[in-house]
Amino acid sequence: MTTTLRVLCWDHPRCTGPMAAAAAAYRAVRPDVVVRCEARPLALFNDQPPWELGDGYDLAFVDHPMTGAAAERGALVPLDAVLPAERLARIAADSLGHDAYAWGGRQWALSVDVACQVAVVRADRLEVVPRTWDDVLALAGRTAGAVALTLAPADALCTLVSLSANAALAAGEPATWLRPEAVEFLVELARLAHPVSIGLTPPRLLEHLAGDGGIVYAPFVFGYAVAARGPLVFTDVPGVDGHPRGAILGGAGLAVLPGGRHVAEAAAFAAWCMSADVQRTVLLTAGGQPGHGAVWDDPASGAFFRDIRRSLAQAYVRPRDPWWPAYHRVAGGLLAEALRDGDGAASIHRRLADLADRHREGVPSEAHAAPTARRGRRSRRVVGRDRTPTGGKETSLHGPID
């Protein structure tokens, strides 16, 4: 009897290609299991939570900030309940980003794909790569249109989170996701950046950078190994003090959905995808970005993995609190709109902080203007120090390496 597993990917060669290759390779290992891959748009991967996927899927790639909310809703299967403890422990020891999918002491997905925000440069047009925030502003101010950002709502907030974490770590403080100096820098850089930055997503930015539009550098964009060809070279993010700390963790976790008919088989396939051999010979060769540390550290994997390894090692895990996904959607729109309209940094910081307070308190607003009603109350709290349960604390992957 044949078992069919339906896997929901996101619509990009970095996911659909490797998963198609994995499906074919798995048939040789398990002839009784057929893996069918389907895709949803990248925007839906960012914004559509697991509990809205509908019936019929056995596995889906999820974004780690969804973990807390999905766990509370019972929208994912805890993998520690279906995988042998020894196997899950081995995966945890070998994986990059594994803990990002932990919540409440349980494991909700496996980090099959790993990424973080990095910088990308046109190596044929720029000889000296910026290493500090001041370097980036100097380049943007010196040559109009030379620097671009991804300022689509979700990506604008991701960049602000990276900047905030970097600023906190550079100051010798715990990483946090909202710092006033980070807002100030982003406002200034957005003013100087290429006009195409407004509304731009990472794949579209890379297309522009590879073209002839004059852009030579993007300081914060999610890295894509499949794009590391020709004149595009990925490198570490710039830091306040030149150290690439705090770039937010990206990638995707492969999760098992409770509505599927083959939970045990689905978990077995996800675990199989995490083995070093599969990650190296199947996923990597098909254009994926493996979550296995040994594959990243293998010189044979290529320059892309070597050149951004420091940023990944010091990546910042976004909050996974149940309130965060809804906040991220609304705050991203607020931030993108404010940057487009040229709002001041103090106003943006206050509105984002007030909006976060509303979501923590369970009073979210879908209207971007809603936080202004609370401007009389200015929160002095450090916004990024979230109250999270065991397994949900903010963290970097391996601590600082300078």
Side-chain angles (χ1 to χ4, degrees):
M1 182 176 177
T2 300
T3 297
T4 299
L5 301 178
R6 293 178 65 197
V7 182
L8 186 59
C9 307
W10 76 91
D11 192 12
H12 189 274
R14 195 178 102 196
C15 184
T16 54
M19 278 297 101
Y26 198 59
R27 195 69 194 273
V29 176
R30 289 288 305 273
D32 58 323
V33 178
V34 174
V35 179
R36 292 181 178 172
C37 302
E38 302 174 34
R40 57 175 166 163
L42 180 59
L44 288 182
F45 168 76
N46 291 328
D47 295 333
Q48 184 184 39
W51 54 91
E52 294 181 2
L53 295 179
D55 297 329
Y57 294 108
D58 297 281
L59 303 106
F61 280 93
V62 298
D63 203 8
H64 72 260
M66 300 280 188
T67 303
E72 289 206 346
R73 287 171 171 82
L76 302 175
V77 174
L79 295 176
D80 48 280
V82 288
L83 289 175
E86 290 184 1
R87 188 166 194 186
L88 194 57
R90 187 166 63 251
I91 291 172
D94 293 338
S95 302
L96 300 170
H98 182 80
D99 290 345
Y101 302 96
W103 183 264
R106 310 206 74 171
Q107 192 69 31
W108 301 95
L110 302 180
S111 56
V112 170
D113 175 275
V114 172
C116 68
Q117 280 199 328
V118 295
V120 60
V121 60
R122 277 291 298 257
D124 58 336
R125 295 178 183 171
L126 186 64
E127 293 183 1
V128 180
V129 178
R131 296 300 179 192
T132 68
W133 291 12
D134 287 343
D135 292 342
V136 176
L137 289 177
L139 174 62
R142 184 170 62 248
T143 307
V147 177
L149 294 166
T150 54
L151 295 182
D155 298 293
L157 189 62
C158 284
T159 296
L160 178 57
V161 171
S162 289
L163 291 167
S164 296
N166 180 265
L169 291 169
E173 300 175 10
T176 186
W177 56 268
L178 183 59
R179 298 270 295 200
E181 63 268 46
V183 181
E184 292 171 5
F185 174 78
L186 182 58
V187 167
E188 178 65 11
L189 183 57
R191 184 182 67 82
L192 296 171
H194 196 292
V196 78
S197 299
I198 299 298
L200 208 57
T201 61
R204 290 288 295 150
L205 182 145
L206 296 175
E207 290 176 11
H208 281 284
L209 192 60
D212 297 322
I215 301 172
V216 300
Y217 179 71
F220 294 94
V221 61
F222 284 106
Y224 291 84
V226 294
R229 60 174 64 94
L232 298 188
V233 174
F234 289 86
T235 186
D236 288 321
V237 294
V240 172
D241 54 3
H243 295 297
R245 296 171 287 209
I248 69 166
L249 182 70
L254 188 54
V256 176
L257 303 180
R261 294 182 299 169
H262 310 290
V263 168
E265 292 290 2
F269 172 73
W272 175 82
C273 287
M274 290 305 302
S275 73
D277 184 58
V278 172
Q279 292 252 314
R280 180 180 290 108
T281 64
V282 179
L283 303 184
L284 177 66
T285 56
Q289 291 178 202
H292 200 290
V295 181
W296 274 77
D297 294 333
D298 186 347
S301 294
F304 171 85
F305 299 92
R306 179 196 67 223
D307 292 345
I308 64 171
R309 188 65 174 86
R310 293 183 71 215
S311 290
L312 182 63
Q314 301 172 89
Y316 174 73
V317 177
R318 284 166 281 171
R320 289 154 289 162
D321 305 78
W323 60 268
W324 179 264
Y327 172 76
H328 191 282
R329 286 194 295 273
V330 181
L334 185 159
L335 178 59
E337 184 178 289
L339 293 173
R340 182 198 66 198
D341 294 344
D343 292 355
S347 171
I348 293 173
H349 181 271
R350 182 178 64 248
R351 293 170 66 195
L352 289 173
D354 284 350
L355 183 63
D357 283 344
R358 291 177 64 86
H359 279 258
R360 282 197 190 90
E361 294 162 5
V363 192
S365 171
E366 294 300 322
H368 297 170
T372 60
R374 303 178 77 243
R375 286 182 180 176
R377 174 189 166 217
R378 298 190 182 185
S379 173
R380 298 289 182 182
R381 187 156 39 130
V382 178
V383 175
R385 292 180 183 174
D386 299 296
R387 298 180 296 277
T388 57
T390 302
K393 65 182 180 180
E394 297 177 355
T395 183
S396 62
L397 292 182
H398 300 297
I401 53 171
D402 296 318

